[in-house]
């Protein structure tokens, strides 16, 4: 298990001691804070009069969410992210074949939500360790190749159906998928032809298992 000991500076606000945590590269704090902000805004819209909504709802919602983010949401989300990172590292160190299968299976859905960025912390920790590299990127490359291949499969389907515009989108999405950018393949091709994305998950899982073995 890889761990880093960090000493944080603190803020003192209204008698509270708040750690100045670093959320760089973190996605979970943003998602949770955005959800809380949306819920607070909805609640304020129900109780604040229409004549002062523009002046009250936005600033008050941001102020409350800001305090909650630094005091509760941020540390909690950072703890969850660290736990996920440690869990992934543990699985790869003790059962590499299983880690490869799980990571390969869920990487594509994580890309859709943007949560794949949180694994950068794992990559950086592994690069700074005795390993001197990361075992996640080869699986990521396999995932991208599978995404691009599925886009080319969608291109073949569109070609048989004589759908000219979709053919062009699928072709360019497949090329970008091979180069590492899979979002066009996901949103323009695979989600439109749902069976192909299920095939992707299956093949990535199998290839991930073989790779880690």
């Amino acid at each position: 298990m890889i761990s880093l000991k960090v000493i944080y500076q603190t803020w003192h606000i209204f008698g509270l001691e708040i750690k100045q945590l670093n959320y760089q590269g973190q996605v979970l704090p943003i998602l949770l804070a955005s959800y809380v902000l949306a819920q607070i805004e909805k609640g304020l819209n129900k109780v604040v009069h229409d004549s002062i909504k523009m002046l009250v709802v936005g600033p008050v919602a941001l102020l409350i969410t800001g305090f909650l983010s630094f005091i509760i949401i941020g540390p909690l989300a950072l703890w969850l992210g660290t736990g996920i990172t440690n869990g992934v590292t543990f699985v790869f160190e003790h059962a590499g074949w299983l880690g490869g299968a799980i990571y390969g299976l869920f990487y594509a859905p994580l890309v859709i939500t943007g949560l794949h960025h949180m694994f950068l912390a794992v990559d950086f920790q592994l690069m700074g360790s005795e390993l001197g590299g990361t075992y996640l990127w080869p699986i990521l490359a396999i995932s991208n190749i599978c995404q691009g291949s599925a886009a080319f499969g969608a291109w073949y389907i569109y070609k048989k159906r004589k759908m000219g515009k979709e053919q062009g989108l699928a072709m360019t999405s497949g090329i970008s998928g091979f180069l590492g950018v899979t979002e066009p393949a996901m949103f323009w091709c695979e989600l439109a032809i749902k069976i192909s994305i299920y095939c992707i998950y299956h093949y990535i899982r199998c290839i991930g298992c073989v790779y880690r073995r």
Side-chain angles (χ1 to χ4, degrees):
M1 187 70 63
I2 301 170
S3 61
L4 297 176
K5 185 177 181 180
V6 182
I7 300 176
Y8 296 103
Q9 296 180 349
T10 58
W11 288 310
H12 296 275
I13 303 176
F14 301 124
L16 298 175
E17 185 175 328
I18 304 172
K19 291 182 179 179
Q20 298 181 19
L21 301 177
N22 181 13
Y23 299 107
Q24 184 176 1
Q26 296 291 322
V27 178
L28 287 178
I30 299 173
L31 292 177
L32 293 178
S34 300
Y35 175 78
V36 171
L37 175 62
Q39 297 305 312
I40 293 175
E41 184 178 358
K42 288 181 181 179
L44 290 174
N45 280 324
K46 294 179 180 179
V47 298
V48 177
H49 194 270
D50 292 341
S51 61
I52 58 173
K53 273 187 179 181
M54 187 175 294
L55 296 175
V56 174
V57 173
V60 172
L62 286 173
L63 182 63
I64 296 174
T65 305
F67 275 107
L68 291 177
S69 297
F70 284 114
I71 297 172
I72 300 175
I73 299 173
L76 176 61
L78 189 62
W79 176 77
L80 289 174
T82 302
I84 293 172
T85 298
N86 291 335
V88 170
T89 304
F90 177 83
V91 171
F92 271 99
E93 288 181 350
H94 294 83
W97 63 271
L98 179 61
I102 295 174
Y103 187 71
L105 179 63
F106 289 104
Y107 179 76
L110 289 174
V111 171
I112 295 176
T113 60
L115 290 173
H116 64 295
H117 290 295
M118 69 182 179
F119 287 100
L120 287 174
V122 182
D123 293 323
F124 292 146
Q125 289 184 22
L126 292 173
M127 289 178 183
S129 67
E130 296 179 356
L131 182 64
T134 174
Y135 34 57
L136 298 182
W137 284 358
I139 302 174
L140 184 153
I142 293 172
S143 173
N144 293 341
I145 292 171
C146 290
Q147 295 281 358
S149 300
F152 284 123
W155 168 81
Y156 178 75
I157 294 175
Y158 289 139
K159 183 179 180 181
K160 291 187 66 176
R161 296 178 180 178
K162 297 181 179 180
M163 302 168 67
K165 179 181 178 181
E166 287 76 6
Q167 284 185 52
L169 291 172
M171 176 63 72
T172 55
S173 298
I175 295 173
S176 67
F178 279 179
L179 296 176
V181 181
T182 59
E183 284 82 357
M186 285 184 181
F187 295 112
W188 284 105
C189 302
E190 293 148 15
L191 292 179
I193 305 178
K194 297 180 177 59
I195 188 171
S196 65
I197 202 166
Y198 296 141
C199 293
I200 289 171
Y201 297 159
H202 175 72
Y203 287 128
I204 291 175
R205 177 180 62 184
C206 295
I207 294 173
C209 290
V210 172
Y211 167 76
R212 290 312 305 172
R213 284 180 184 275

